[in-house]
Amino acid sequence: MNQQISSELKPRIIVCLDVDKGRVVKGTNFKQLRDMGDPIELALQYEQQGADELVFLDISASNENRPTALKLVTDIACNLSIPFTVGGGLKKLDDVRAFLDAGADKVALNTTAILQPEIIDQTALAYGSQCVVVAIDVDKDEQQNLGVYINGGRKLTDKVFFDWTKEVADRGAGEILLTAMHKDGTGSGFDTKLTSKVSNQVTVQVIASGGAKNEKHYLDAFQNGADACLAAGMFHSGEYTVGQVKGYLEANGLNIRKV
Amino acid sequence: MTKILIVDTKAGNLFSLRAAIERLDLAVEIKDKPPADKYGAIVIPGQGRFGTVLSNLRKNNWVPFLEEARQKRIPMLGICVGMQIFFEASDEDPDAAGFGWFKGKAERLDFPKKPMVGWADLETINSARNWPKEPVYFVNSFAVKNSDKSIATTIYGERFCAAIQQGSFTGVQFHPEKSAQCGSEIIRQSLTITGELA
């Protein structure tokens, strides 16, 4: 292995759980949600498998479920002994505050970060950059143009991709969660070129997301500048455990965190 | 063992820390003012800014309480900024004076990516040699580079002090409450340590 590992931090594997009304769900599309189980039980399973972090998305999507969502976050904080991020539906600084105070280690901001970018600065100032993950949904069209999307990938914004990645880092994001929509669901691996470009452009960590189907995709991403990789489907389907992917990475010379 | 006191520095939630200690079958109480009761060990949590944590502690008269606990050799664990405040100063808030129990200051280090977020290995010496040989979770922009009380170091861009120990006091730059089984064991050892003031 000749690849340069730029830091002594372990490459992280992050498992993403979609939560709706207090249950983990799996959506084949936006309408059909399949119940996957209890968030805490699943979270603990992934912790035992060796996940380095977890992300809970859409935990807070609707306001009427807010108290339940906050209680769930506190329950997760009391049960998990690895870090976790919550995201989806955080619309204002008060939402961010509520979820961090309830026990989340970090919040992921996506649509809100685009609509009110100052929320990145405000959260970083109040809680520190380490709490702020800015999620960027990017799609590449046939002409190879990169578009930044919001509202769960449904709405194209006028943001210039590399300006936006720089701006979020300058505003105080602690990490960038980069989801390549053109890779999502393809099973052809992470967009390692794009991840690498962003990783070299900004001095914050970049989490690659979208497109992973096997253990080689992780190796490829980590060798190309990803600081962390996030996936959902390939672990939820039971096809792979986090431990299996980590075993492969270790066998290929990566300095992963063993469990 | 008698119950464990978490000092509420009013700078962040304490759910994870409390739960991590309770998982060791220890009773925990969180107080924002110095209590009259006796505690088996004291934990100073790792959230918030250097200056804010110090001013909150001073405002609530924690200083004599912590000094006395140190003299009485009650095990004490300071986490992240909860360790840094016992040094002399920090680049984070240059105007705020630390407790000065230990020489040196927290500096903005030359991390490859900032803040440092993630798992890293420790290189342990002396009293940390019984700690599990597993990575721990770091979240920080500032750290103490060198300390004569250092018992563990790590490297991220440059080598810095990951843990210190003096007498019954253990300080860790990482977050043991977020460091899975390994962190749990480090908390256990830190809360049961007995040592003379050097």
Side-chain angles (χ1 to χ4, degrees):
Chain A
M1 279 295 123
N2 292 321
Q3 89 271 9
Q4 281 283 310
I5 303 288
S6 64
S7 76
E8 298 78 7
L9 283 175
K10 310 273 177 184
R12 283 174 289 156
I13 293 187
I14 303 174
V15 179
C16 180
L17 301 163
D18 286 310
V19 178
D20 183 54
K21 298 186 186 76
R23 301 289 289 176
V24 175
V25 291
K26 183 179 171 182
T28 42
N29 59 45
F30 280 96
K31 287 189 183 90
Q32 292 181 321
L33 294 175
R34 193 153 66 84
D35 189 301
M36 301 264 302
D38 177 66
I40 291 166
E41 267 173 44
L42 284 166
L44 287 172
Q45 276 176 30
Y46 285 121
E47 177 180 320
Q48 279 151 18
Q49 283 184 17
D52 298 304
E53 276 186 54
L54 298 177
V55 173
F56 296 88
L57 281 187
D58 285 323
I59 199 161
S60 56
S62 68
N63 279 322
E64 63 265 34
N65 293 325
R66 183 52 56 89
T68 323
L70 290 174
K71 186 178 175 301
L72 176 59
V73 169
T74 301
D75 285 348
I76 294 166
C78 290
N79 281 280
L80 217 57
S81 61
I82 56 170
F84 71 99
T85 303
V86 298
L90 302 173
K91 292 191 181 65
K92 48 189 195 299
L93 191 61
D94 278 350
D95 298 339
V96 167
R97 197 172 278 143
F99 280 92
L100 290 174
D101 289 347
D105 296 298
K106 315 175 194 183
V107 289
L109 301 170
N110 191 339
T111 303
T112 303
I114 298 259
L115 300 179
Q116 319 158 53
E118 64 282 357
I119 200 169
I120 302 169
D121 311 61
Q122 290 162 346
T123 308
L125 187 68
Y127 290 90
S129 287
Q130 79 287 343
C131 291
V132 195
V133 179
V134 174
I136 303 178
D137 289 344
V138 61
D139 199 13
K140 191 192 266 180
D141 66 19
E142 281 109 40
Q143 285 80 44
Q144 306 293 300
N145 297 314
L146 295 168
V148 175
Y149 283 75
I150 55 172
N151 294 345
R154 290 187 296 273
K155 191 178 169 199
L156 177 67
T157 67
D158 58 4
K159 292 284 181 199
V160 176
F161 176 72
F162 286 107
D163 292 350
W164 179 234
T165 49
K166 184 176 183 303
E167 182 180 341
V168 302
D170 290 347
R171 284 181 178 274
E175 293 170 86
I176 291 175
L177 167 57
L178 185 64
T179 300
M181 292 164 60
H182 48 282
K183 285 286 193 168
D184 228 357
T186 62
S188 63
F190 298 103
D191 189 334
T192 52
K193 277 195 185 127
L194 194 59
T195 305
S196 156
K197 270 190 189 166
V198 178
S199 187
N200 288 325
Q201 178 207 17
V202 294
T203 55
V204 300
Q205 297 199 48
V206 181
I207 306 162
S209 158
K213 199 188 167 197
N214 61 47
E215 64 273 57
K216 291 181 189 69
H217 294 146
Y218 290 79
L219 182 63
D220 198 21
F222 287 129
Q223 286 177 337
N224 284 286
D227 297 292
C229 287
L230 176 140
M234 75 175 258
F235 296 124
H236 297 331
S237 67
E239 227 173 317
Y240 282 89
T241 65
V242 177
Q244 282 172 320
V245 175
K246 283 193 155 182
Y248 177 83
L249 295 175
E250 192 189 15
N252 282 277
L254 291 200
N255 180 21
I256 49 96
R257 170 180 160 260
K258 280 180 261 186
V259 172
Chain B
M1 196 214 271
T2 44
K3 57 204 168 181
I4 309 298
L5 169 66
I6 298 180
V7 176
D8 188 354
T9 59
K10 297 281 169 198
N13 83 74
L14 301 169
F15 295 112
S16 299
L17 181 57
R18 174 183 205 134
I21 301 171
E22 285 176 344
R23 274 195 289 273
L24 297 166
D25 282 328
L26 297 168
V28 180
E29 281 183 20
I30 299 175
K31 301 281 181 193
D32 58 4
K33 294 211 169 55
D37 315 16
K38 282 207 182 320
Y39 288 88
I42 300 167
V43 182
I44 301 98
Q47 284 163 312
R49 291 183 70 97
F50 185 80
T52 313
V53 170
L54 277 165
S55 87
N56 290 349
L57 288 176
R58 291 198 166 106
K59 196 166 62 197
N60 288 313
N61 212 28
W62 280 102
V63 184
F65 180 91
L66 294 172
E67 288 284 2
E68 195 191 328
R70 185 191 189 204
Q71 296 304 327
K72 287 185 173 164
R73 290 168 209 138
I74 293 170
M76 226 183 289
L77 171 63
I79 300 169
C80 196
V81 70
M83 163 185 84
Q84 294 173 1
I85 55 169
F86 294 101
F87 283 82
E88 293 163 309
S90 170
D91 286 350
E92 186 173 21
D93 290 300
D95 295 336
F99 287 129
W101 291 8
F102 312 112
K103 289 218 176 326
K105 66 168 191 169
E107 297 172 66
R108 189 184 287 280
L109 296 184
D110 193 19
F111 294 145
K113 299 214 170 174
K114 298 173 186 90
M116 176 180 188
V117 179
W119 300 80
D121 286 317
L122 296 179
E123 201 168 304
T124 55
I125 47 168
N126 300 331
S127 45
R129 63 177 175 262
N130 292 327
W131 287 4
K133 303 284 175 263
E134 287 164 30
V136 290
Y137 190 77
F138 284 86
V139 179
N140 53 292
S141 300
F142 301 87
V144 176
K145 207 164 164 179
N146 295 303
S147 168
D148 53 358
K149 303 289 181 268
S150 179
I151 56 165
T153 60
T154 196
I155 301 172
Y156 185 48
E158 56 185 313
R159 185 178 291 276
F160 66 91
C161 173
I164 58 163
Q165 212 234 312
Q166 187 207 37
S168 55
F169 184 97
T170 307
V172 293
Q173 181 55 62
F174 51 90
H175 286 263
E177 76 278 19
K178 290 286 162 190
S179 299
Q181 277 302 315
C182 173
S184 173
E185 177 57 19
I186 290 172
I187 293 174
R188 195 190 64 76
Q189 291 189 25
S190 304
L191 297 185
T192 51
I193 202 162
T194 51
E196 298 296 314
L197 261 183

